[in-house]
Amino acid sequence: MWTASRPLPLIRTPTMGKTDVIPAPPPAAAKVPEGTDLIEWYYERGCSDGLPLVPPTPEKIAAAITALGGEGERLLARVPPRWGSLTREVLAINMVMAGCRPEYAPVVEAAMLALCEARFNLNGVQATTHMASPLLVVNGPIRRAIGMNAGCNTFGSGNRANATIGRALRLVLLNVGGGWPGLLDKSTLGHPGKYTYCIAENEEASPFAPYHVEKGYRAEESTVFVLAAEPPHSITNHFANDAEGVLDSVCSAMSTISNNNAVSAGHCAVVLGPEHAAAVAKSGWKRHDIRHYLWAHSGNRWGDLYGNGRYGKVYNRNLPVWYKREPDARTPIVPSPDNIHLFVAGGEAGRFSAFIPGWGHMSAPVLRGVGGAQPAGGPECTDGTCSV
């Protein structure tokens, strides 16, 4: 039996011409001396995201495994870049350490399966020097069933479900995927979403069909959406009362020369606050109108992106070949209106929205039905996972 008095198992991973040593989490059956400060014990073993962990007692682990459907040894996925094995027992342990309630299990499991889809490229997201972190957006009845916050301060603190679901994903990325900062995680700066980055769409305050319904799911089904993303960029507009006035401010926020979409294309998200969404809807606009307007009226002049020739001619192979590479050519933020993912979230008071740049063409977002639910129509899906 492994005990606290024995050396912590290590995993040696060759990176950048050297060997990095990553602490391996102790097994569920680990024994510690009576009276041990368990919070400090887990800190010493490098299993934490920097915040105190909830000690994973056998009773709490068993409850989480049951909520996941039993079969604790069942392999769910391999998590890069370490490619550790994520079983239901391992997922349950990390859920408990994050502070999750057992009823959060279906969302956590669906989100991890989505993150481990090849098209998401979690290996790249974990190891990049960029600040990208997986953003999780939940839709459907499960939001309310587990008490998620889709309203005031939805990106912030104060809600157990939002905070601990996002944190459970991060602990899995650390403890199973090995994405420890400075070792396999080479992010230059990171961002606060690398603690937890989880929200729900405010379907009740939205004048539009929910995101998952737009993508072919029934309203009574629940989904998770994951996007490798920068932090939210605030959009303020207190004067406009029509669609074009509000959305021109969104276009302005999208049109910078320094977010990753500007130079790497890919996907992005826009979160409209309910007041802004109401103003847009009053003009009779639908989701597809908004996405097409944002795509058509955002972007940058090619020359401005690359110093107007000061550093020579730049081609940039990260961008689609059909982009014109001429000084005065318009360079879209993303290649298509379909690459803009639109949500309504936040409190009902306040004329604010957010633009959330993605990581670029290196990662594609994934939409997955909770419990493997299949859409009634829309994009092609396999095993409940849809390419979006």
Side-chain angles (χ1 to χ4, degrees), residues 2-270:
W2 188 89
T3 67
S5 62
R6 292 177 57 189
L8 182 68
L10 298 176
I11 295 169
R12 299 187 179 275
T13 305
T15 59
M16 302 292 288
K18 62 180 181 179
T19 298
D20 290 332
V21 179
I22 301 172
K31 299 292 185 181
V32 297
E34 188 173 348
T36 298
D37 185 329
L38 291 176
I39 290 177
E40 294 300 326
W41 189 81
Y42 276 97
Y43 269 129
E44 290 167 4
R45 277 144 187 82
C47 299
S48 173
D49 55 1
L51 295 172
L53 297 174
V54 176
T57 63
E59 295 78 14
K60 289 183 177 181
I61 294 170
I65 292 174
T66 299
L68 287 165
E71 301 180 78
E73 71 284 356
R74 180 176 176 180
L75 180 65
L76 298 174
R78 301 288 301 280
V79 185
R82 189 185 119 191
W83 298 103
S85 296
L86 180 65
T87 64
R88 278 184 169 167
E89 180 186 39
V90 171
L91 182 57
I93 293 169
N94 283 276
M95 281 181 53
V96 172
M97 292 195 299
C100 288
R101 296 177 61 88
E103 54 263 39
Y104 306 166
V107 172
V108 178
E109 181 181 55
M112 278 309 311
L113 291 173
L115 290 176
C116 290
E117 280 288 310
R119 71 198 73 165
F120 187 79
N121 186 15
L122 183 58
N123 186 64
V125 175
Q126 286 259 69
T128 180
T129 54
H130 187 248
M131 62 170 56
S133 179
L135 164 68
L136 170 62
V137 185
V138 181
N139 273 99
I142 202 166
R143 302 165 304 121
R144 302 193 75 177
I146 63 175
M148 293 190 72
N149 174 28
C152 292
N153 201 43
T154 187
F155 283 104
S157 58
N159 179 271
R160 180 175 181 175
N162 293 36
T164 62
I165 290 171
R167 189 187 185 198
L169 301 183
R170 175 53 53 184
L171 288 178
V172 172
L173 298 188
L174 293 169
N175 290 324
V176 186
W180 293 98
L183 296 176
L184 297 181
D185 178 351
K186 299 297 183 180
S187 179
T188 305
L189 295 172
H191 74 79
K194 296 187 88 166
Y195 280 104
T196 181
Y197 204 8
C198 170
I199 69 167
E201 184 165 27
N202 194 340
E203 298 176 17
E204 292 73 24
S206 173
F208 311 115
Y211 176 84
H212 70 309
V213 173
E214 179 190 34
K215 297 299 181 182
Y217 284 87
R218 291 185 289 272
E220 62 269 22
E221 294 170 332
S222 297
T223 62
V224 295
F225 167 87
V226 291
L227 171 73
E230 294 182 10
H233 297 215
S234 178
I235 300 165
T236 303
N237 183 316
H238 286 80
F239 60 86
N241 59 6
D242 64 345
E244 291 191 20
V246 170
L247 296 180
D248 281 345
S249 291
V250 180
C251 290
S252 175
M254 294 173 68
S255 303
T256 72
I257 65 172
S258 57
N259 74 67
N260 225 45
N261 291 124
V263 295
S264 297
H267 295 253
C268 66
V270 170

